[in-house]
């Protein structure tokens, strides 16, 4: 307590004089103490601005954890991530900034994205921002088999930084095969189903029981349309059953109008309902 009191009362002029002397200040001197405190606070403010630690200093992680968290931030910044990317990374993948997480485990994922997928540094960043959990995926058991399977189906340009590409790449092969099995079960040949997935890779993200099957059943049983029409316009699966498909079908049925699926669904509301007014 005596040392702290004496440091607190030491005049500023003595700091300048002591700094000009040849002997370095003792380890317990006030300048070093302030430097440490300021650095610690600045680190907390920086991490708080990125959304990594709470703004309330009472909820901040222990000082010993900060170097590990900061190393994760620096690692990602070296990979091209900006300050604006971090809140999303923290929200969707908080494990990255856990003091117990080994950031070096991410190296194989970045090597896969650039080496095997052929993504540039910016494309890799874009894919990760769209699906941060891809960083936690195992290259050998998830990412590589998925990439091979998607290429076999004819999907191309998977390195483009879209949300669909990011989530499809982070999907295990068995789940992808489930969509192919569904398409073949309703009458698509293997090559036809593969072409559908190539044209509409978002289909891999749709639930079979909650999305694809109800749409198919409505097409066949309520709309009384043939499978061949679906093969010509598989984009049908991408439209909302409740908000687009059903309302427009029942509207046209009241008007006793028959149009193609593409004409029925592709037009905007204004063009569609002005063409066939209620």
């Amino acid at each position: 307590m005596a040392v702290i009191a004496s440091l607190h009362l030491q005049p500023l002029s003595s700091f300048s004089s002591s700094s000009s002397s040849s002997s370095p200040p003792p380890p317990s001197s006030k300048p070093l103490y302030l430097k440490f405190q300021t650095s610690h606070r600045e680190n907390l403010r920086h991490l708080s601005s990125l959304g990594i630690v709470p703004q309330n200093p009472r909820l901040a992680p222990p000082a010993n954890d900060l170097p590990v968290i900061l190393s994760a931030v620096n690692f990602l910044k070296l990979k091209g991530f900006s300050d604006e990317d971090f809140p999303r990374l923290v929200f969707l993948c908080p494990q990255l900034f856990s003091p117990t997480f080994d950031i070096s485990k991410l190296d194989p994922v970045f090597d896969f994205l650039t080496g095997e997928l052929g993504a540039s540094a910016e494309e890799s960043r874009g894919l990760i921002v769209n699906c941060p959990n891809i960083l936690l995926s195992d290259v050998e058991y998830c990412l590589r088999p998925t990439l091979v399977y998607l290429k076999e189906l004819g999907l191309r340009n998977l390195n483009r930084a879209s949300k669909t590409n990011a989530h499809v790449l982070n999907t295990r092969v068995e789940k992808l095969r489930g969509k192919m099995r569904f398409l073949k079960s309703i009458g698509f040949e293997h090559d036809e189903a593969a072409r559908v997935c190539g044209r509409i890779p978002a289909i891999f993200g749709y639930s079979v029981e909650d999305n694809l099957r109800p749409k198919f059943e409505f097409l066949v049983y309520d709309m009384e349309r043939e499978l061949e029409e679906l093969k010509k316009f598989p984009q049908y699966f991408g439209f909302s059953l409740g908000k687009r498909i059903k309302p427009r079908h029942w509207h046209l049925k009241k008007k006793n109008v028959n149009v193609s699926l593409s004409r029925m669904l592709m037009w905007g509301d204004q063009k569609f309902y002005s063409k066939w007014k209620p």
Side-chain angles (χ1 to χ4, degrees):
M1 291 299 293
V3 173
I4 295 176
S6 63
L7 289 173
H8 179 70
L9 294 173
Q10 187 175 4
L12 291 175
S13 58
S14 66
F15 295 150
S16 59
S17 61
S18 62
S19 61
S20 61
S21 62
S22 59
S23 59
S28 60
S29 68
K30 189 173 181 181
L32 287 181
Y33 176 76
L34 286 176
K35 183 178 179 181
F36 169 76
Q37 289 294 89
T38 303
S39 175
H40 180 67
R41 287 197 299 269
E42 286 179 351
N43 288 335
L44 286 177
R45 278 197 296 268
H46 180 56
L47 293 175
S48 176
S49 71
L50 300 178
I52 297 174
V53 303
Q55 292 185 353
N56 188 341
R58 294 182 179 180
L59 302 177
N64 291 339
D65 290 345
L66 291 188
V68 179
I69 300 174
L70 287 168
S71 68
V73 172
N74 292 334
F75 175 90
L76 292 170
K77 284 192 173 185
L78 287 173
K79 296 296 185 180
F81 290 83
S82 67
D83 287 359
E84 290 73 22
D85 296 327
F86 282 91
R88 179 174 173 82
L89 296 177
V90 175
F91 180 73
L92 295 176
C93 199
Q95 301 96 311
L96 295 175
F97 307 99
S98 167
T100 60
F101 184 75
D102 182 4
I103 201 69
S104 66
K105 290 182 178 180
L106 304 185
D107 282 322
V109 176
F110 281 98
D111 291 343
F112 166 83
L113 293 175
T114 56
E116 299 182 45
L117 183 62
S120 65
E122 180 59 25
E123 287 170 335
S124 297
R125 186 201 69 81
L127 288 167
I128 293 166
V129 168
N130 276 301
C131 182
N133 279 292
I134 200 171
L135 287 173
L136 304 181
S137 292
D138 187 276
V139 171
E140 182 178 356
Y141 295 105
C142 180
L143 298 178
R144 185 176 294 122
T146 292
L147 178 61
V148 170
Y149 184 71
L150 293 173
K151 285 184 174 180
E152 289 174 353
L153 293 180
L155 274 74
R156 298 292 181 264
N157 301 317
L158 290 165
N159 57 304
R160 290 181 180 172
S162 69
K163 184 177 292 186
T164 297
N165 280 351
H167 285 278
V168 168
L169 286 167
N170 198 41
T171 303
R172 289 190 176 271
V173 170
E174 183 53 35
K175 191 172 182 180
L176 302 178
R177 287 184 176 138
K179 307 308 187 297
M180 285 288 290
R181 284 195 295 268
F182 167 76
L183 291 173
K184 290 193 282 187
S185 74
I186 64 175
F188 284 78
E189 298 294 333
H190 179 84
D191 290 346
E192 292 174 330
R195 282 196 295 273
V196 169
C197 295
R199 290 172 62 185
I200 319 168
I203 199 170
F204 286 122
Y206 301 154
S207 165
V208 169
E209 298 306 322
D210 297 333
N211 191 312
L212 300 179
R213 194 180 304 281
K215 288 177 181 176
F216 174 71
E217 292 177 349
F218 186 80
L219 177 85
V220 173
Y221 300 119
D222 293 271
M223 299 174 70
E224 298 180 341
R225 295 183 183 249
E226 300 294 331
L227 177 65
E228 290 306 313
E229 190 169 2
L230 179 60
K231 288 182 179 181
K232 292 178 182 177
F233 189 69
Q235 294 92 331
Y236 167 82
F237 283 122
F239 292 94
S240 169
L241 182 60
K243 296 180 180 179
R244 190 105 165 183
I245 298 172
K246 286 184 176 181
R248 293 196 176 187
H249 165 69
W250 296 123
H251 181 76
L252 292 175
K253 189 167 185 177
K254 287 179 183 178
K255 296 290 182 180
N256 197 27
V257 174
N258 292 315
V259 298
S260 67
L261 279 177
S262 60
R263 196 177 179 193
M264 168 185 161
L265 296 171
M266 291 293 289
W267 287 6
D269 283 344
Q270 183 175 358
K271 184 177 180 179
F272 177 85
Y273 287 107
S274 62
K275 174 70 175 177
W276 297 288
K277 295 181 180 179

